[in-house]
Amino acid sequence: MQKMMLRIKFRYAFYGKTEHSFESGIMKIKVIQRDTEVQMKEIKLKAMAKINLGLDVTRKREDGYHEVRMIMQSINMYDQIRLSPLEEPQIRVKTNVSFLPVNEDNLVYKAAKLLMDEFQVTSGVEIDLRKFIPTAAGMGGGSSDAAAVLVGVNRMFQLGLTKRELMERSVAIGADVPFCV
């Protein structure tokens, strides 16, 4: 099991509010605290690319899909995702790639909707997706982005899901999303 070191930085802003930034290798969270009310401002995530070291097609299933056995490895290439809370109950997606959908056809939208619907989240989220993993290159960019959004939405709305529970839900989005969680 990989241990992750969490570094905490405190920054004091004007107007009597305190900003706290929490950083790890894959996630950055900014929280604003006013008196006793704590509001999550944003979460920044790295969605790591992966490569297939081995791929074995074991059989064709009745539904037309193939059952496969894969050996995957994450690599040091990633997309950047920033989640920001919205007061209105909506999911808003922005991206730096013009040909990607910014609606329910995007895997990051599907990931946020999956958890927000299940847990009846009444506020919204803006997802800012900065793509650096080549699209449709078999490097798991979309799957990794969806996995990062699952992790971020879980933290942002304090849903309390474990990594295993996120992995179990992520299969509904794509076959290799659990690996990316």
Side-chain angles (χ1 to χ4, degrees):
M1 181 183 339
Q2 181 184 11
K3 291 184 179 178
M4 196 178 303
M5 177 68 92
L6 192 63
R7 183 178 46 180
I8 301 173
K9 291 199 272 184
F10 294 98
R11 289 190 302 219
Y12 297 95
F14 299 106
Y15 312 113
K17 63 183 178 182
T18 306
E19 286 191 17
H20 308 278
S21 291
F22 304 90
E23 289 186 41
S24 73
I26 58 166
M27 182 179 297
K28 182 176 183 179
I29 301 173
K30 188 182 282 183
V31 177
I32 296 179
Q33 182 176 351
R34 292 186 181 99
D35 299 326
T36 58
E37 177 186 325
V38 176
Q39 173 190 6
M40 181 104 26
K41 186 174 179 185
E42 67 181 22
I43 297 177
K44 293 182 181 179
L45 301 140
K46 292 179 182 177
M48 306 303 287
K50 59 102 179 149
I51 56 173
N52 291 322
L53 299 175
L55 178 74
D56 224 2
V57 178
T58 58
R59 70 177 183 92
K60 188 172 183 173
R61 301 184 329 199
E62 291 180 17
D63 60 7
Y65 288 96
H66 292 87
E67 205 165 281
V68 295
R69 214 176 311 162
M70 297 181 286
I71 301 171
M72 296 180 276
Q73 173 64 49
S74 57
I75 61 171
N76 193 23
M77 177 186 292
Y78 55 88
D79 292 341
Q80 298 172 346
I81 297 172
R82 187 180 72 229
L83 301 178
S84 303
L86 298 172
E87 290 183 19
E88 315 83 46
Q90 64 175 309
I91 300 169
R92 189 183 312 152
V93 178
K94 300 186 321 186
T95 181
N96 63 328
V97 180
S98 61
F99 58 84
L100 284 182
V102 292
N103 56 21
E104 60 276 350
D105 294 330
N106 192 309
L107 292 181
V108 297
Y109 185 102
K110 290 179 182 182
K113 185 167 177 42
L114 179 81
L115 292 182
M116 292 171 76
D117 284 354
E118 179 181 349
F119 289 90
Q120 301 172 353
V121 175
T122 56
S123 55
V125 65
E126 179 176 85
I127 304 166
D128 186 5
L129 171 61
R130 300 286 139 214
K131 291 290 294 174
F132 300 100
I133 300 171
T135 305
M139 299 178 77
S143 297
S144 181
D145 296 339
V149 168
L150 288 172
V151 170
V153 166
N154 184 43
R155 295 258 170 100
M156 178 169 281
F157 297 111
Q158 301 171 357
L159 304 179
L161 295 171
T162 65
K163 183 175 180 177
R164 177 174 283 304
E165 291 169 327
L166 287 172
M167 290 172 72
E168 289 168 358
R169 286 165 173 80
S170 70
V171 172
I173 301 166
D176 57 353
V177 178
F179 172 81
C180 300
V181 171

